[in-house]
Amino acid sequence: MKNALIISKTETGIKAVASLLKDEGFSRIQCTLSSDDAKRKLNDNDFGLIIINAPLKEENGLELSVFCAEKTNACVVLIVPKEKTLDVFDIVSERGVLVVSRPLKVRLFKNLLRYSMGYMNRITGNDEAEKLKNELEEIKVINRAKLLLIQCLSMTEAQAHRYIEKQAMNMRTGKLEIAKQVIRTYQN
């Protein structure tokens, strides 16, 4: 996902990071000066990258970076002053937050962005494959239930489909659960 959220206490910090992101092909970049506003934006959007230029006005940025790492699937990058890099790294690295020291070395930062986004794409791709696999399994179970309804109750395919949907609505459950009940009931 080429969309990002930048959190910084100054407009200058936001502009510098946004410029680097635009160079890397990020098309949707949202910015904020507040950690509270950032949390609101996280509720309304699905970001691929979150960059926190610490410290912030209300906090040092560590808490927000950990919050973002725990609550989202985004790659979280925390930019800190050079003298604090090792201490901050020890605190947030286990949570999956990348720590970069300021002043930024442009080439190194861009390489870090490419690497982290590539890694996130790989992980997201695996999640997509897993979702598709689960959907396929669900379709197989539902089709098996339809076949049993057709064989045992002489329904048409459309009637069997409608029966499963109607039962799911009436019982306020998913079609998969109804299909499993049908299979338990009508299977030899």
Side-chain angles (χ1 to χ4, degrees):
M1 240 182 260
K2 289 287 191 170
N3 58 339
L5 174 62
I6 303 170
I7 306 111
S8 181
K9 71 177 177 181
T10 65
E11 288 287 339
T12 307
I14 287 175
K15 287 178 184 173
V17 174
S19 174
L20 293 171
L21 294 182
K22 287 177 185 171
D23 290 347
E24 290 302 308
F26 283 82
S27 55
R28 289 186 16 221
I29 301 171
Q30 293 190 39
C31 307
T32 184
L33 300 170
S34 154
S35 60
D36 290 336
D37 187 43
K39 289 177 182 176
R40 281 190 292 277
K41 288 180 185 293
L42 290 175
N43 286 332
D44 299 333
N45 299 282
D46 189 21
F47 296 103
L49 176 67
I50 299 169
I51 297 180
I52 303 166
N53 189 9
L56 302 173
K57 289 179 183 173
E58 316 89 358
E59 63 171 272
N60 61 17
L62 276 68
E63 296 87 3
L64 181 61
S65 69
V66 170
F67 176 85
C68 291
E70 290 176 349
K71 301 294 182 189
T72 71
N73 290 327
C75 177
V76 181
V77 178
L78 180 61
I79 303 171
V80 296
K82 188 174 189 170
E83 63 275 2
K84 302 213 183 230
T85 304
L86 291 176
D87 293 334
V88 170
F89 179 82
D90 288 340
I91 296 169
V92 299
S93 63
E94 288 183 13
R95 307 287 176 106
V97 176
L98 298 170
V99 180
V100 179
S101 63
R102 189 176 46 244
L104 293 176
K105 293 182 173 84
V106 173
R107 187 178 184 106
L108 179 65
F109 185 73
K110 286 183 176 185
N111 286 340
L112 174 75
L113 284 179
R114 289 179 190 147
Y115 170 77
S116 59
M117 293 311 296
Y119 184 75
M120 292 303 292
N121 287 339
R122 211 172 93 206
I123 289 174
T124 303
N126 289 343
D127 288 346
E128 282 295 316
E130 190 64 31
K131 283 181 190 175
L132 290 174
K133 182 180 172 186
N134 290 339
E135 286 177 23
L136 183 60
E137 289 301 318
E138 184 175 321
I139 290 169
K140 285 180 183 179
V141 171
I142 291 170
N143 283 341
R144 175 75 180 131
K146 285 182 195 178
L147 181 64
L148 285 170
L149 289 171
I150 291 167
Q151 290 174 343
C152 297
L153 300 179
S154 301
M155 290 184 177
T156 65
E157 194 275 334
Q159 289 171 326
H161 180 80
R162 176 73 180 130
Y163 174 82
I164 291 172
E165 282 186 334
K166 186 154 177 50
Q167 288 297 319
M169 285 189 300
N170 290 344
M171 299 181 79
R172 296 183 181 173
T173 186
K175 291 188 288 186
L176 181 61
E177 292 304 314
I178 299 301
K180 287 178 181 178
Q181 288 175 1
V182 167
I183 290 170
R184 283 191 296 270
T185 303
Y186 293 107
Q187 200 164 26
N188 297 336

